[in-house]
Amino acid sequence: MIAVILAKKILSLFLIMVMGAALVKSKVLRAEDSKSISVVTLYLVMPCVIISSFQVEYTEEIRDGLILALIGAVLVHAVLIAVTELLGRALGWDPVEKDSAIYSNAGNLIIPIVTAMLGKEWIIYTSAFLSVQLILLWSHGKMVLCGERRIEIKKIATNVNMISIFAGILLFICRIQLPAVLQDSIDTVGSMVGPAAMIVTGMLIGNMNLKKLFSYRKLPLMIFVRLVGFPVLNIALLKLSGLSRMVPAGETILLITLLATITPSASTITQMSQVYGKDADYASAINVATTLLCIVTMPLMVMIYQYI
C-alpha cells in the first residue's frame, strides 16, 4: 500500500517536472531563470520546512525516534562513504561520480514524499537525515569534489539550513510553540518545497540535449549504483542492524531513512560543480537520469523493504 502511495506521489512530482520543462521548451522562461527559484527554495522554503517539522509536542517517544533516525543516518552515510571509496579506486571514479553516488536529493524530495505517504507528524524524523547529509555534503562532499583536506566549519555552521535545524531543535527541546498565524505562514511556504524543486529540475531538463546523456560512458553504472546497488545495500544494512527494535515505531522511522537514501543523486552536486569549476554537465546528467528513472526504482525498493 505504501509503495503504491509512493508511486503516485513520485508520478505527481514527475508531472510537475514536465511542466517546468515545458516552460523552457516554450521559451516562456530560460533555464537560467531556475536559479531564482533555487535561491527562494534554499533560503526561504527549506528553512520553513525544517522549523515546521520540529513544531510538534515534545514526548519521550519522539525524542527516542529522533535518536534512532540520527543513528540510522550516520550508519548509512558511513557505509556509503566507505564503499564508494573502495569502488572509486577499483573503477576509477572521478570526484563528481563519487559524490553523486553517496549523496541523495533528499533535501528536495523526502519531505513531500513522507508527508504524502505517512503524514505530517512523521516529517520531524527527516530532519535527522537532512542534518547528517548537510554536514557531510559541505565537509566530506566538498573535500572530495575539490580535492581539499580542510573542513570549513564556519561555512557549515552558518548554512541557513543548519541554522534552521538548530533553531527547530531549540524550539522542540524548550517546548516552544509558535503563534498560530506564524505557524500557518511557515507551513504554507514550506509546502512549496516539492513543486519548487521539481520545477527547477524540469527547467534544467528543458534546456538539456538528452542525446548528450548517452555520451557519458559511465552513466549507466552510476544510475545502477545510485538507484539499485546502494538502496539494496541500505535495505540490508537497516534490516540486519536490528536498529528498528530500539523504539516501537522503529520500522517506520527507518523506512524514512531508507526513503531519503533512494532518491536521485543530489542536485546540490551540480550546483557545487558549477561553483568550483568541476564537470557540472556530467553532474547534471546523473541527476536528470536518476530523477527520470526513480519513479520505477523507489516504489520497488520500498516493496523490498516491506517484504523482508
Side-chain angles (χ1 to χ4, degrees):
M1 181 62 180
I2 290 181
V4 174
I5 296 173
L6 174 60
K8 290 181 179 179
K9 184 60 182 179
I10 294 176
L11 178 59
S12 174
L13 293 172
F14 178 81
L15 293 176
I16 295 174
M17 183 176 69
V18 172
M19 296 177 193
L23 287 174
V24 174
K25 287 294 186 182
S26 61
K27 301 188 185 304
V28 174
L29 292 174
R30 300 173 301 169
E32 295 79 10
D33 295 331
S34 65
K35 183 176 180 180
S36 298
I37 303 177
S38 295
V39 170
V40 172
T41 302
L42 177 64
Y43 290 97
L44 181 61
V45 178
M46 279 303 298
C48 285
V49 168
I50 292 169
I51 291 176
S52 178
S53 70
F54 282 100
Q55 285 293 288
V56 296
E57 183 181 354
Y58 180 95
T59 65
E60 290 185 0
E61 181 180 354
I62 293 178
R63 180 202 63 195
D64 293 343
L66 277 171
I67 293 173
L68 172 60
L70 183 63
I71 293 172
V74 171
L75 178 62
V76 163
H77 279 96
V79 171
L80 292 187
I81 288 173
V83 173
T84 297
E85 185 61 30
L86 292 174
L87 288 177
R89 290 179 181 178
L91 301 176
W93 285 357
D94 63 28
V96 168
E97 290 167 335
K98 290 180 179 179
D99 275 358
S100 295
I102 297 169
Y103 298 108
S104 70
N105 211 17
N108 292 327
L109 298 181
I110 188 59
I111 291 174
I113 287 174
V114 169
T115 302
M117 289 176 54
L118 303 172
K120 182 183 175 182
E121 65 272 18
W122 293 92
I123 293 177
I124 188 171
Y125 300 113
T126 68
S127 299
F129 185 93
L130 295 178
S131 300
V132 172
Q133 175 156 283
L134 188 61
I135 292 171
L136 288 174
L137 254 177
W138 288 103
S139 54
H140 170 267
K142 184 173 180 291
M143 289 171 65
V144 169
L145 193 65
C146 301
E148 297 176 343
R149 295 184 178 274
R150 184 171 59 89
I151 298 176
E152 297 182 15
I153 301 296
K154 182 179 178 180
K155 190 162 188 176
I156 296 173
T158 57
N159 183 287
V160 64
N161 291 300
M162 283 305 303
I163 294 173
S164 300
I165 290 170
F166 295 144
I169 292 174
L170 182 62
L171 291 172
F172 175 69
I173 293 175
C174 296
R175 308 185 186 192
I176 299 174
Q177 293 292 310
L178 299 175
V181 174
L182 177 58
Q183 181 63 50
D184 182 62
S185 298
I186 290 175
D187 289 345
T188 301
V189 173
S191 66
M192 298 165 53
V193 63
M198 298 314 292
I199 287 173
V200 168
T201 302
M203 291 175 70
L204 294 175
I205 291 175
N207 192 49
M208 179 177 287
N209 180 5
L210 294 182
K211 293 181 179 179
K212 189 176 180 179
L213 291 177
F214 298 100
S215 67
Y216 295 107
R217 183 172 53 87
K218 294 183 182 179
L219 183 59
L221 175 61
M222 299 310 303
I223 293 172
F224 177 81
V225 169
R226 177 67 256 168
L227 297 181
V228 180
F230 279 2
V232 170
L233 175 62
N234 289 331
I235 290 173
L237 183 64
L238 295 175
K239 285 290 185 176
L240 296 175
S241 66
L243 290 174
S244 63
R245 293 191 291 270
M246 287 180 58
V247 299
E251 282 285 338
T252 303
I253 292 172
L254 291 183
L255 172 61
I256 294 172
T257 301
L258 177 67
L259 284 169
T261 67
I262 63 178
T263 58
S265 65
S267 56
T268 306
I269 303 302
T270 300
Q271 298 164 356
M272 291 173 69
S273 297
Q274 290 175 322
V275 171
Y276 299 116
K278 304 302 177 180
D279 195 346
D281 286 344
Y282 187 24
S284 180
I286 296 174
N287 174 250
V288 168
T290 52
T291 298
L292 292 174
L293 294 174
C294 77
I295 191 173
V296 175
T297 59
M298 287 187 68
L300 178 61
M301 293 303 151
V302 170
M303 289 176 63
I304 294 173
Y305 177 84
Q306 292 181 305
Y307 180 78
I308 296 176

